[in-house]
Amino acid sequence: MSTAAIPGAPLPVRTPGSRARGRHRRPERPEIPAGSPALLLAVPAAAGPESRSVVEELLSIVRSEQNGVLTAAGYLPTGGVDGRQTGGTTAERTVAELLTEAAEAGLPTPVVVPLVPGPHGFLPELHALAAEYGAQVTDTLGPHPLLAEAVHVRLSEAGLARADRARLFAIATAADGVVLTTVGGQPAADAAGITGMLLAARLAVPVVAAALDIPGSVAEAVAHLKEMGAQNPALAPLVIGPEADAELLAAAAEESGCPSAAPLGAYQAVGQLVASTYLAALPAVAPDFGADEAEDTDETGLRGNGRHAAQ
């Protein structure tokens, strides 16, 4: 269990290793330009213990991967994306509240990164809300090879797939077909099909996508795999966690009679993908607002970890 999932436990601290030397050294991570906008992670769920633990650990990964990035998580209020009041703590502010506070503080408008792997019902409202503040909303996190990697790892952790194709030892419970489950209706299932092809190449088994929020979609996908000859199909959620109702995941496994891997959660590659999505949205040259040092937390609740963390 991650320490981030234990109430009261601090988030894990990652210490970077020494920089490799020579022609095969890893490329240096780009430094965030001074005065760059914050990364506002838009979480498609209200704040709660489960969603908060995943989000905080992902933001911890982002900050450790990219020194100097200023981060915040905006949750959904009870009434939807466009909510202006929650009565919660600083860590539970909504997207609307954080955008408002950044504007009132004279900070650069944050870059909004939706915490979803593909199309989702909250995106139209999120785009409309961001447009009110002139905020940029990035693309969703998928499809992407890193998501296929994350799903593969979750399947292997559940004993439903080999860790990699080079390890040819037998796994009695290994799936010979995978239903990649997601939420967001047919558009999400269609987009998940691309990640499904990448996953199929990794597992060397057929993979089909299905939407958890379309009645009968998962059952049809399982039946299709069985028609193709699969005898032990399994479910693999292409969901990070907050965007999907846990009851949908449990119901899909029960109704299909198939074992299921866990959601992606705060997998390392997901945090890396959030960071790279943010970096791709930054302008080539960001304005320097002249601050020499940054506090770890400013009055808006945005948090950073370096000298350019708050401008």
PDB file of all heavy atoms in Angstrom, residues 6-27:
ATOM      1  N   ILE A   6      -2.379   6.031   3.332  1.00  0.00           N
ATOM      2  CA  ILE A   6      -2.520   5.850   4.765  1.00  0.00           C
ATOM      3  C   ILE A   6      -2.816   7.198   5.395  1.00  0.00           C
ATOM      4  O   ILE A   6      -2.032   8.136   5.242  1.00  0.00           O
ATOM      5  CB  ILE A   6      -1.229   5.267   5.366  1.00  0.00           C
ATOM      6  CG1 ILE A   6      -0.882   3.934   4.669  1.00  0.00           C
ATOM      7  CG2 ILE A   6      -1.387   5.066   6.864  1.00  0.00           C
ATOM      8  CD1 ILE A   6       0.435   3.368   5.112  1.00  0.00           C
ATOM      9  N   PRO A   7      -3.948   7.352   6.060  1.00  0.00           N
ATOM     10  CA  PRO A   7      -4.288   8.648   6.668  1.00  0.00           C
ATOM     11  C   PRO A   7      -3.173   9.146   7.576  1.00  0.00           C
ATOM     12  O   PRO A   7      -2.671   8.429   8.422  1.00  0.00           O
ATOM     13  CB  PRO A   7      -5.567   8.348   7.448  1.00  0.00           C
ATOM     14  CG  PRO A   7      -6.154   7.146   6.772  1.00  0.00           C
ATOM     15  CD  PRO A   7      -4.976   6.340   6.317  1.00  0.00           C
ATOM     16  N   GLY A   8      -2.790  10.395   7.384  1.00  0.00           N
ATOM     17  CA  GLY A   8      -1.784  11.002   8.233  1.00  0.00           C
ATOM     18  C   GLY A   8      -0.360  10.733   7.818  1.00  0.00           C
ATOM     19  O   GLY A   8       0.573  11.321   8.361  1.00  0.00           O
ATOM     20  N   ALA A   9      -0.160   9.825   6.862  1.00  0.00           N
ATOM     21  CA  ALA A   9       1.199   9.519   6.440  1.00  0.00           C
ATOM     22  C   ALA A   9       1.664  10.532   5.415  1.00  0.00           C
ATOM     23  O   ALA A   9       0.886  10.986   4.587  1.00  0.00           O
ATOM     24  CB  ALA A   9       1.257   8.111   5.838  1.00  0.00           C
ATOM     25  N   PRO A  10       2.944  10.918   5.454  1.00  0.00           N
ATOM     26  CA  PRO A  10       3.440  11.896   4.467  1.00  0.00           C
ATOM     27  C   PRO A  10       3.555  11.260   3.101  1.00  0.00           C
ATOM     28  O   PRO A  10       3.654  10.039   2.966  1.00  0.00           O
ATOM     29  CB  PRO A  10       4.820  12.261   5.025  1.00  0.00           C
ATOM     30  CG  PRO A  10       5.248  11.037   5.779  1.00  0.00           C
ATOM     31  CD  PRO A  10       3.980  10.476   6.385  1.00  0.00           C
ATOM     32  N   LEU A  11       3.534  12.102   2.084  1.00  0.00           N
ATOM     33  CA  LEU A  11       3.740  11.601   0.741  1.00  0.00           C
ATOM     34  C   LEU A  11       5.179  11.132   0.600  1.00  0.00           C
ATOM     35  O   LEU A  11       6.084  11.647   1.255  1.00  0.00           O
ATOM     36  CB  LEU A  11       3.447  12.698  -0.289  1.00  0.00           C
ATOM     37  CG  LEU A  11       1.980  13.084  -0.406  1.00  0.00           C
ATOM     38  CD1 LEU A  11       1.843  14.301  -1.308  1.00  0.00           C
ATOM     39  CD2 LEU A  11       1.169  11.939  -0.974  1.00  0.00           C
ATOM     40  N   PRO A  12       5.419  10.120  -0.245  1.00  0.00           N
ATOM     41  CA  PRO A  12       6.791   9.619  -0.405  1.00  0.00           C
ATOM     42  C   PRO A  12       7.710  10.691  -0.957  1.00  0.00           C
ATOM     43  O   PRO A  12       7.316  11.500  -1.788  1.00  0.00           O
ATOM     44  CB  PRO A  12       6.621   8.456  -1.392  1.00  0.00           C
ATOM     45  CG  PRO A  12       5.347   8.750  -2.109  1.00  0.00           C
ATOM     46  CD  PRO A  12       4.474   9.438  -1.106  1.00  0.00           C
ATOM     47  N   VAL A  13       8.929  10.712  -0.467  1.00  0.00           N
ATOM     48  CA  VAL A  13       9.934  11.658  -0.940  1.00  0.00           C
ATOM     49  C   VAL A  13      10.923  10.913  -1.808  1.00  0.00           C
ATOM     50  O   VAL A  13      11.526   9.934  -1.387  1.00  0.00           O
ATOM     51  CB  VAL A  13      10.672  12.321   0.242  1.00  0.00           C
ATOM     52  CG1 VAL A  13      11.768  13.247  -0.271  1.00  0.00           C
ATOM     53  CG2 VAL A  13       9.693  13.074   1.116  1.00  0.00           C
ATOM     54  N   ARG A  14      11.062  11.355  -3.020  1.00  0.00           N
ATOM     55  CA  ARG A  14      11.967  10.693  -3.967  1.00  0.00           C
ATOM     56  C   ARG A  14      13.231  11.531  -4.093  1.00  0.00           C
ATOM     57  O   ARG A  14      13.175  12.727  -4.345  1.00  0.00           O
ATOM     58  CB  ARG A  14      11.309  10.530  -5.334  1.00  0.00           C
ATOM     59  CG  ARG A  14      10.084   9.656  -5.294  1.00  0.00           C
ATOM     60  CD  ARG A  14       9.388   9.615  -6.630  1.00  0.00           C
ATOM     61  NE  ARG A  14      10.285   9.102  -7.647  1.00  0.00           N
ATOM     62  CZ  ARG A  14      10.485   9.695  -8.812  1.00  0.00           C
ATOM     63  NH1 ARG A  14       9.880  10.795  -9.091  1.00  0.00           N
ATOM     64  NH2 ARG A  14      11.297   9.178  -9.693  1.00  0.00           N
ATOM     65  N   THR A  15      14.374  10.892  -3.911  1.00  0.00           N
ATOM     66  CA  THR A  15      15.648  11.587  -4.015  1.00  0.00           C
ATOM     67  C   THR A  15      16.261  11.282  -5.361  1.00  0.00           C
ATOM     68  O   THR A  15      16.545  10.119  -5.680  1.00  0.00           O
ATOM     69  CB  THR A  15      16.609  11.116  -2.906  1.00  0.00           C
ATOM     70  OG1 THR A  15      15.989  11.331  -1.644  1.00  0.00           O
ATOM     71  CG2 THR A  15      17.923  11.886  -2.989  1.00  0.00           C
ATOM     72  N   PRO A  16      16.481  12.304  -6.207  1.00  0.00           N
ATOM     73  CA  PRO A  16      17.056  12.040  -7.522  1.00  0.00           C
ATOM     74  C   PRO A  16      18.475  11.524  -7.409  1.00  0.00           C
ATOM     75  O   PRO A  16      19.244  11.939  -6.529  1.00  0.00           O
ATOM     76  CB  PRO A  16      17.012  13.421  -8.205  1.00  0.00           C
ATOM     77  CG  PRO A  16      16.980  14.396  -7.083  1.00  0.00           C
ATOM     78  CD  PRO A  16      16.229  13.720  -5.967  1.00  0.00           C
ATOM     79  N   GLY A  17      18.814  10.604  -8.272  1.00  0.00           N
ATOM     80  CA  GLY A  17      20.155  10.065  -8.287  1.00  0.00           C
ATOM     81  C   GLY A  17      21.128  11.005  -8.954  1.00  0.00           C
ATOM     82  O   GLY A  17      20.752  12.032  -9.525  1.00  0.00           O
ATOM     83  N   SER A  18      22.400  10.659  -8.871  1.00  0.00           N
ATOM     84  CA  SER A  18      23.406  11.496  -9.510  1.00  0.00           C
ATOM     85  C   SER A  18      23.272  11.414 -11.016  1.00  0.00           C
ATOM     86  O   SER A  18      22.890  10.377 -11.568  1.00  0.00           O
ATOM     87  CB  SER A  18      24.807  11.049  -9.084  1.00  0.00           C
ATOM     88  OG  SER A  18      25.022   9.700  -9.445  1.00  0.00           O
ATOM     89  N   ARG A  19      23.604  12.495 -11.672  1.00  0.00           N
ATOM     90  CA  ARG A  19      23.449  12.557 -13.121  1.00  0.00           C
ATOM     91  C   ARG A  19      24.462  11.662 -13.804  1.00  0.00           C
ATOM     92  O   ARG A  19      25.657  11.690 -13.501  1.00  0.00           O
ATOM     93  CB  ARG A  19      23.617  14.000 -13.586  1.00  0.00           C
ATOM     94  CG  ARG A  19      23.391  14.163 -15.069  1.00  0.00           C
ATOM     95  CD  ARG A  19      23.639  15.589 -15.472  1.00  0.00           C
ATOM     96  NE  ARG A  19      23.603  15.702 -16.925  1.00  0.00           N
ATOM     97  CZ  ARG A  19      24.284  16.607 -17.611  1.00  0.00           C
ATOM     98  NH1 ARG A  19      25.041  17.471 -16.979  1.00  0.00           N
ATOM     99  NH2 ARG A  19      24.205  16.655 -18.912  1.00  0.00           N
ATOM    100  N   ALA A  20      23.986  10.833 -14.721  1.00  0.00           N
ATOM    101  CA  ALA A  20      24.879   9.943 -15.453  1.00  0.00           C
ATOM    102  C   ALA A  20      25.784  10.752 -16.372  1.00  0.00           C
ATOM    103  O   ALA A  20      25.433  11.832 -16.833  1.00  0.00           O
ATOM    104  CB  ALA A  20      24.057   8.932 -16.263  1.00  0.00           C
ATOM    105  N   ARG A  21      26.973  10.205 -16.634  1.00  0.00           N
ATOM    106  CA  ARG A  21      27.917  10.857 -17.511  1.00  0.00           C
ATOM    107  C   ARG A  21      28.103  10.035 -18.772  1.00  0.00           C
ATOM    108  O   ARG A  21      27.804   8.856 -18.812  1.00  0.00           O
ATOM    109  CB  ARG A  21      29.271  11.035 -16.809  1.00  0.00           C
ATOM    110  CG  ARG A  21      29.191  11.912 -15.562  1.00  0.00           C
ATOM    111  CD  ARG A  21      30.553  12.035 -14.906  1.00  0.00           C
ATOM    112  NE  ARG A  21      30.480  12.870 -13.712  1.00  0.00           N
ATOM    113  CZ  ARG A  21      30.584  14.185 -13.731  1.00  0.00           C
ATOM    114  NH1 ARG A  21      30.787  14.809 -14.892  1.00  0.00           N
ATOM    115  NH2 ARG A  21      30.510  14.886 -12.617  1.00  0.00           N
ATOM    116  N   GLY A  22      28.624  10.686 -19.802  1.00  0.00           N
ATOM    117  CA  GLY A  22      28.918   9.960 -21.030  1.00  0.00           C
ATOM    118  C   GLY A  22      27.846  10.131 -22.082  1.00  0.00           C
ATOM    119  O   GLY A  22      26.820  10.776 -21.872  1.00  0.00           O
ATOM    120  N   ARG A  23      28.054   9.522 -23.219  1.00  0.00           N
ATOM    121  CA  ARG A  23      27.181   9.721 -24.368  1.00  0.00           C
ATOM    122  C   ARG A  23      25.816   9.115 -24.177  1.00  0.00           C
ATOM    123  O   ARG A  23      24.869   9.460 -24.880  1.00  0.00           O
ATOM    124  CB  ARG A  23      27.847   9.146 -25.624  1.00  0.00           C
ATOM    125  CG  ARG A  23      28.120   7.650 -25.539  1.00  0.00           C
ATOM    126  CD  ARG A  23      28.877   7.149 -26.738  1.00  0.00           C
ATOM    127  NE  ARG A  23      28.069   7.250 -27.946  1.00  0.00           N
ATOM    128  CZ  ARG A  23      28.435   6.736 -29.118  1.00  0.00           C
ATOM    129  NH1 ARG A  23      29.585   6.120 -29.235  1.00  0.00           N
ATOM    130  NH2 ARG A  23      27.647   6.847 -30.161  1.00  0.00           N
ATOM    131  N   HIS A  24      25.664   8.150 -23.248  1.00  0.00           N
ATOM    132  CA  HIS A  24      24.382   7.478 -23.053  1.00  0.00           C
ATOM    133  C   HIS A  24      23.632   8.013 -21.839  1.00  0.00           C
ATOM    134  O   HIS A  24      22.696   7.374 -21.361  1.00  0.00           O
ATOM    135  CB  HIS A  24      24.589   5.974 -22.908  1.00  0.00           C
ATOM    136  CG  HIS A  24      25.194   5.334 -24.126  1.00  0.00           C
ATOM    137  ND1 HIS A  24      24.571   5.359 -25.347  1.00  0.00           N
ATOM    138  CD2 HIS A  24      26.381   4.697 -24.298  1.00  0.00           C
ATOM    139  CE1 HIS A  24      25.336   4.727 -26.242  1.00  0.00           C
ATOM    140  NE2 HIS A  24      26.432   4.331 -25.625  1.00  0.00           N
ATOM    141  N   ARG A  25      24.051   9.173 -21.309  1.00  0.00           N
ATOM    142  CA  ARG A  25      23.350   9.726 -20.157  1.00  0.00           C
ATOM    143  C   ARG A  25      21.928  10.125 -20.545  1.00  0.00           C
ATOM    144  O   ARG A  25      21.649  10.429 -21.704  1.00  0.00           O
ATOM    145  CB  ARG A  25      24.090  10.943 -19.604  1.00  0.00           C
ATOM    146  CG  ARG A  25      24.136  12.126 -20.540  1.00  0.00           C
ATOM    147  CD  ARG A  25      24.931  13.271 -19.903  1.00  0.00           C
ATOM    148  NE  ARG A  25      24.933  14.441 -20.755  1.00  0.00           N
ATOM    149  CZ  ARG A  25      25.820  14.678 -21.704  1.00  0.00           C
ATOM    150  NH1 ARG A  25      26.790  13.804 -21.944  1.00  0.00           N
ATOM    151  NH2 ARG A  25      25.760  15.786 -22.427  1.00  0.00           N
ATOM    152  N   ARG A  26      21.050  10.145 -19.560  1.00  0.00           N
ATOM    153  CA  ARG A  26      19.664  10.557 -19.797  1.00  0.00           C
ATOM    154  C   ARG A  26      19.614  12.036 -20.106  1.00  0.00           C
ATOM    155  O   ARG A  26      20.379  12.828 -19.545  1.00  0.00           O
ATOM    156  CB  ARG A  26      18.817  10.275 -18.553  1.00  0.00           C
ATOM    157  CG  ARG A  26      18.641   8.809 -18.235  1.00  0.00           C
ATOM    158  CD  ARG A  26      17.887   8.638 -16.957  1.00  0.00           C
ATOM    159  NE  ARG A  26      16.563   9.217 -17.039  1.00  0.00           N
ATOM    160  CZ  ARG A  26      15.737   9.290 -16.005  1.00  0.00           C
ATOM    161  NH1 ARG A  26      16.105   8.868 -14.826  1.00  0.00           N
ATOM    162  NH2 ARG A  26      14.549   9.816 -16.166  1.00  0.00           N
ATOM    163  N   PRO A  27      18.746  12.467 -20.995  1.00  0.00           N
ATOM    164  CA  PRO A  27      18.639  13.894 -21.281  1.00  0.00           C
ATOM    165  C   PRO A  27      18.181  14.664 -20.049  1.00  0.00           C
ATOM    166  O   PRO A  27      17.402  14.168 -19.234  1.00  0.00           O
ATOM    167  CB  PRO A  27      17.587  13.960 -22.396  1.00  0.00           C
ATOM    168  CG  PRO A  27      16.797  12.702 -22.254  1.00  0.00           C
ATOM    169  CD  PRO A  27      17.780  11.668 -21.764  1.00  0.00           C
TER     170      PRO A  27
END
